[in-house]
Amino acid sequence: MKLNELLKHVKPLDILGDTEVEITGVNIDSRRIEKGHLFVAMKGTQVDGHQFISKAIEQGAVAVLCEDMPESLATGVTFVQVESTEDAAGKVATLFYGDPSRKLKLVGVTGTNGKTTVATLLYNMFRAMGYKCGLLSTVCNYIEDEAIAADHTTPDPIELNQLLHRMVEAGCEYAFMECSSHAIAQRRISGLSFVGGIFTNLTRDHLDYHKTFENYRNAKKSFFDGLPKTAFAITNADDKNGMIMVQNTKATVKTYSTRVAADFKGKLLECHFEGMYLEIDGREVGVQFIGKFNVSNLLAVYGAAVMLGKRPEDVLVVLSTLHSVRGRLEPIHCAAGYTAIVDYAHTPDALANVLNAIHEVLDGKGKVITVCGAGGNRDKGKRPLMAQEAVRQSDKVIITSDNPRFENPQDIINDMLEGLNSRQREKVLSIVDRREAIRTACMLAHKGDVVLIAGKGHEDYQEIQGVKHHFDDREVVEQLAVNQ
């Protein structure tokens, strides 16, 4: 494809060179550039791609898309200057890969918690209905049965369009995608065409990046602002930001709720560790999930499926067969008689939701022992709040390492302990080694108790000083259960 065709939706500030040059590939990583490629120099949060323009040209780049023209211009290379390469990258990638999102029914899911569950359940539901589908999520990306490792909640715009293109080639009709606040703010989804968007909820998270809650909220809101009038926007009426999200959207707005009048209404009738009985739009259904927050997630899934043209009764039948997503309120029944639950909860609100769900089932008939930590090099403000939430709803809390990254694990633990008074600290242990912390929690548990292991969920690694070491909470629990 010729460069001038790729620039059809981009407004260049300046062009130096031949725009008739043939482009054989597009990339933002200079290490992946090959002969004939267009290199997009992105100003990332960690590294500025403009530093690698020379490297990209050495690798064979014949054109460069940039915000700042380099002082030295290589001969035979076309330079295109734009106001924002973040915005332009998605538009260029969309054209290069044949505008794949317009050939799919693409639904985006955004919010603080529940994105993975909602997107994955929609993927599983539509596959169960006989459709070919794709999934872009935190846990893993899928093109039908093919699993593709996910390094970010939302891939960069080049990789994203490449994956969507592969979905089209595989015959997929639907694609379901998590849209993180980072991806929206960094315009990774720029140029994509969505048939629908779903808002789950909004609580404190990622303030290390967004700086203020308002910036974080507005990043999420901008996703709905950009939906076309042909799309649908489904929002959580129980969340105080639910209607704010859709106040400026052109899309058809629908609401879901467990508390107030809504287009899709749900009610929890009965709850056990094996599942729940719900009433959804006047019909009763048994599901293999627990927790009131999962009632909301299931309502979002139900509503999206109905908006995609499926009969409500058919949707409920499939909903009753679906299982929880890996690492989301995932129970492990141990031989000693206690239940361990592995969950990805890594925000105060998510932790509160999981603990609420556990207490709904226990109904005062067992103790709760919680193992939790907080990630390094991330929002420090939520650390004491996490500890407070864990202590408030647990009989015993063990604070330990999560992914310390480049921070000292003990410093992170100390930040969490700062949120507790002397009385609260009496029921807290701090154990830096995560394996030892989980082992201690399981040793303290008796028949009928619950051990919640929060923070990492589906992750099978611990990141320490930039190195990922294999570590899977579920594996650790299962090994302990055998040896107890």
Side-chain angles (χ1 to χ4, degrees):
M1 181 178 287
K2 293 191 184 300
L3 178 59
N4 56 11
E5 295 174 34
L6 290 180
L7 299 177
K8 191 160 51 174
H9 300 311
V10 175
K11 295 179 180 178
L13 300 176
D14 195 9
I15 299 176
L16 298 174
D18 181 15
T19 59
E20 289 287 322
V21 65
E22 193 71 27
I23 301 298
T24 59
V26 181
N27 225 305
I28 64 172
D29 187 339
S30 61
R31 295 167 297 183
R32 297 181 181 178
I33 291 291
E34 297 177 9
K35 186 174 176 56
H37 280 199
L38 167 66
F39 174 62
V40 183
M42 304 269 279
K43 290 185 177 180
T45 54
Q46 305 294 325
V47 179
D48 185 351
H50 288 73
Q51 299 174 11
F52 302 98
I53 289 176
S54 296
K55 175 66 174 176
I57 292 170
E58 286 175 17
Q59 294 279 105
V62 295
V64 174
L65 194 65
C66 58
E67 293 179 21
D68 304 319
M69 284 286 193
E71 293 180 7
S72 163
L73 300 177
T75 56
V77 177
T78 303
F79 292 86
V80 180
Q81 185 182 20
V82 294
E83 185 176 339
S84 168
T85 47
E86 276 188 349
D87 183 58
K91 294 173 180 176
V92 167
T94 295
L95 284 173
F96 183 80
Y97 286 105
D99 208 352
S101 63
R102 291 190 184 277
K103 300 169 185 174
L104 296 160
K105 293 183 178 72
L106 177 63
V107 177
V109 186
T110 196
T112 305
N113 304 309
K115 295 186 297 295
T116 300
T117 295
V118 172
T120 304
L121 292 182
L122 280 166
Y123 163 79
N124 289 335
M125 171 176 283
F126 276 75
R127 291 199 73 210
M129 289 178 169
Y131 296 99
K132 290 186 175 183
C133 300
L135 173 67
L136 296 158
S137 87
T138 302
V139 177
C140 192
N141 299 317
Y142 282 93
I143 300 173
E144 273 290 277
D145 285 325
E146 182 188 357
I148 301 161
D151 295 324
H152 302 282
T153 301
T154 311
D156 70 62
I158 314 294
E159 183 186 358
L160 185 51
N161 277 279
Q162 187 180 44
L163 287 167
L164 292 169
H165 173 68
R166 289 181 58 190
M167 290 176 192
V168 172
E169 287 190 321
C172 293
E173 185 174 342
Y174 294 90
F176 304 99
M177 172 183 174
E178 291 185 51
C179 297
S180 69
S181 58
H182 287 72
I184 298 167
Q186 294 168 7
R187 301 180 182 177
R188 290 185 223 159
I189 59 174
S190 175
L192 297 187
S193 176
F194 291 88
V195 300
I198 301 168
F199 172 69
T200 57
N201 50 65
L202 198 72
T203 60
R204 180 191 177 115
D205 201 13
H206 301 306
L207 296 197
D208 55 308
Y209 176 79
H210 295 286
K211 306 305 179 188
T212 68
F213 183 82
E214 288 72 24
N215 290 343
Y216 176 50
R217 181 188 64 200
N218 290 340
K220 301 281 189 188
K221 180 180 177 296
S222 67
F223 169 67
F224 295 95
D225 291 349
L227 290 177
K229 62 181 181 181
T230 54
F232 62 80
I234 300 177
T235 192
N236 184 355
D238 295 333
D239 188 283
K240 64 183 179 181
N241 290 288
M243 299 315 295
I244 293 174
M245 286 292 134
V246 295
Q247 66 184 9
N248 299 119
T249 190
K250 301 180 193 72
T252 300
V253 175
K254 296 290 182 180
T255 58
Y256 63 94
S257 173
T258 61
R259 300 200 297 263
V260 299
D263 297 296
F264 307 111
K265 186 69 185 291
K267 182 180 178 182
L268 174 61
L269 302 176
E270 204 174 308
C271 189
H272 311 278
F273 277 126
E274 291 72 29
M276 301 181 287
Y277 284 100
L278 311 178
E279 181 183 282
I280 296 179
D281 282 355
R283 298 179 176 91
E284 289 190 15
V285 60
V287 296
Q288 300 174 62
F289 299 82
I290 64 170
K292 287 181 180 176
F293 69 94
N294 264 327
V295 180
S296 294
N297 289 336
L298 294 170
L299 279 173
V301 171
Y302 168 81
V306 171
M307 291 304 293
L308 287 167
K310 306 309 163 195
R311 295 197 318 158
E313 50 270 39
D314 294 338
V315 175
L316 292 177
V317 168
V318 178
L319 206 62
S320 70
T321 68
L322 299 179
H323 299 274
S324 61
V325 177
R326 184 170 178 259
R328 268 63 174 178
L329 259 176
E330 187 175 7
I332 303 167
H333 300 288
C334 302
Y338 64 89
T339 300
I341 290 179
V342 174
D343 192 86
Y344 189 54
H346 60 285
T347 66
D349 184 68
L351 190 57
N353 285 337
V354 172
L355 286 165
N356 282 335
I358 290 169
H359 283 293
E360 286 163 14
V361 178
L362 279 179
D363 197 23
K365 296 172 185 172
K367 292 183 177 179
V368 178
I369 302 164
T370 297
V371 178
C372 67
N377 304 107
R378 296 293 187 269
D379 179 9
K380 291 187 178 184
K382 72 179 180 182
R383 293 173 185 176
L385 303 178
M386 293 277 291
Q388 290 167 13
E389 202 56 65
V391 167
R392 188 175 69 84
Q393 295 199 70
S394 306
D395 296 281
K396 194 76 177 178
V397 175
I398 302 175
I399 298 178
T400 187
S401 290
D402 190 295
N403 288 319
R405 298 185 178 89
F406 291 97
E407 282 195 71
N408 183 322
Q410 188 61 57
D411 290 344
I412 299 172
I413 290 171
N414 291 342
D415 285 344
M416 296 184 74
L417 292 173
E418 281 295 316
L420 306 176
N421 59 38
S422 57
R423 187 171 180 179
Q424 289 172 318
R425 291 193 191 199
E426 290 176 3
K427 60 176 178 180
V428 175
L429 295 173
S430 62
I431 302 174
V432 172
D433 184 279
R434 190 173 179 89
R435 187 181 303 274
E436 182 62 23
I438 294 172
R439 188 189 74 82
T440 301
C442 292
M443 293 296 291
L444 291 171
H446 296 95
K447 185 176 180 180
D449 291 346
V450 172
V451 174
L452 169 62
I453 305 161
K456 293 180 61 58
H458 64 280
E459 293 178 350
D460 59 1
Y461 63 85
Q462 255 195 311
E463 187 177 342
I464 303 169
Q465 293 299 314
V467 179
K468 289 185 176 181
H469 304 267
H470 180 76
F471 193 99
D472 188 317
D473 287 348
R474 184 184 177 104
E475 283 181 11
V476 174
V477 173
E478 289 174 341
Q479 289 165 4
L480 289 168
V482 170
N483 296 325
Q484 273 186 312

